[in-house]
């Protein structure tokens, strides 16, 4: 299912998005017509629209458009993409008229199996914005998978851990949940867990990971996913904290879409 402003989208309308890759999005897991952290998804869209287009986005209108394509039963992932079909690559400073593209895809059954990740030196452009420009993330994900891993974990030149390509990373040091203090996209699932479970935020170096009792990934589509290895370091993927966080996330009240 794909609609632009509530109507079936045409190939011509998607050309600019495909050829320039300028825009932003959010992805929401919809279960039985409800979304955890719906207000956070809408706030992200409004904030990022100002950042990329210097334009205001009506969150209620976006919610109405998303509701049109989301099934009332079962689970799916609804992605809301905001872009300007008339965006001119030669004149990106021109006044923008951002439009709302809503698409759906099947939702994976949760929980997902643990994954092994490979660290890659990479920092996204404008990390605070959930940009449609995924070239760098996918390039490193592909390289990690070609090396036998499931995904890539990003570190900077000083080996400071930040995030995955499409997910946040968290740690448990035996006492508290740790979220990395770095330039990252603060995910909705991460924010919901911060509100429901005690945590610290601090700089995490790559060398610190071996001393962690548990490591996990979070985003709206996967919930909480255990990480069983980082590079050549093997990690425990069944620590009780993983189930504790999953339970905390699942108990977050979901809002009607």
């Amino acid at each position: 299912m794909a609609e632009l402003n509530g109507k079936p989208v045409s190939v011509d309308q998607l050309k600019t998005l495909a050829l320039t890759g300028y825009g932003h999005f959010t992805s929401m897991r919809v279960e039985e017509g409800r979304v955890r952290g719906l207000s956070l998804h809408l706030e992200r869209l409004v904030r990022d629209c100002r950042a990329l287009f210097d334009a205001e986005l009506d969150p209620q209108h976006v919610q109405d458009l998303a509701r049109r394509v989301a099934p009332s039963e079962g689970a799916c992932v609804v992605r809301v993409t905001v872009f300007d079909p008339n965006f001119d690559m030669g004149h990106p400073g021109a006044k923008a008229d951002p439009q709302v593209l809503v698409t759906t895809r099947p939702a994976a059954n949760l929980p997902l199996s643990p994954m092994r990740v490979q660290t890659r030196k990479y920092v996204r452009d404008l990390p605070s914005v959930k940009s449609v420009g995924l070239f760098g993330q996918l390039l490193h994900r592909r390289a990690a998978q070609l090396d036998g891993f499931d995904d890539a974990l990003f570190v900077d030149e000083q080996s400071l851990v930040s995030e995955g390509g499409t997910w946040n990373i968290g740690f448990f040091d035996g006492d508290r949940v740790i979220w990395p203090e770095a330039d990252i996209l603060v995910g909705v699932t991460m924010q919901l867990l911060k509100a429901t479970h005690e945590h610290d935020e601090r700089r995490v170096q790559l060398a610190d990971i071996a001393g962690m009792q548990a490591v996990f990934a979070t985003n709206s589509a996967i919930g909480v996913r255990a990480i069983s290895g980082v590079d050549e370091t093997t990690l425990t993927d069944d620590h009780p904290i993983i189930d504790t966080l999953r339970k905390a996330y699942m108990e977050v009240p979901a809002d009607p879409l």
Side-chain angles (χ1 to χ4, degrees), residues 47-89:
R47 181 179 62 248
D48 290 355
C49 192
R50 289 176 184 147
L52 295 192
F53 296 109
D54 194 23
E56 293 298 320
L57 192 66
D58 180 357
Q60 185 58 60
H61 179 58
V62 172
Q63 185 175 347
D64 293 341
L65 295 176
R67 188 188 306 117
R68 284 178 49 86
V69 304
S72 58
E73 299 180 352
C76 73
V77 175
V78 172
R79 170 169 162 159
V80 178
T81 303
V82 179
F83 74 106
D84 184 352
N86 297 312
F87 181 81
D88 184 348
M89 190 164 58

Side-chain angles (χ1 to χ4, degrees), residues 1 6 16 41 54 56 66 76 91 107 125 134-135 137 144 146 158 171 183 196 200 206 233 244 247:
M1 177 69 72
T16 299
H41 285 287
D54 194 23
E56 293 298 320
C76 73
H91 301 88
D125 294 328
L134 298 175
F135 173 77
Q137 292 100 300
L146 290 175
Q158 288 71 49
F171 307 90
D183 290 330
T196 59
D200 284 336
L206 181 56
T233 300
T244 297
K247 184 174 184 293

Side-chain angles (χ1 to χ4, degrees), residues 28-35 70-71 73-78 107 257:
M28 306 175 281
R29 184 181 178 95
V30 182
E31 298 176 330
E32 310 302 328
R34 305 178 77 91
V35 178
E73 299 180 352
C76 73
V77 175
V78 172
L257 181 59

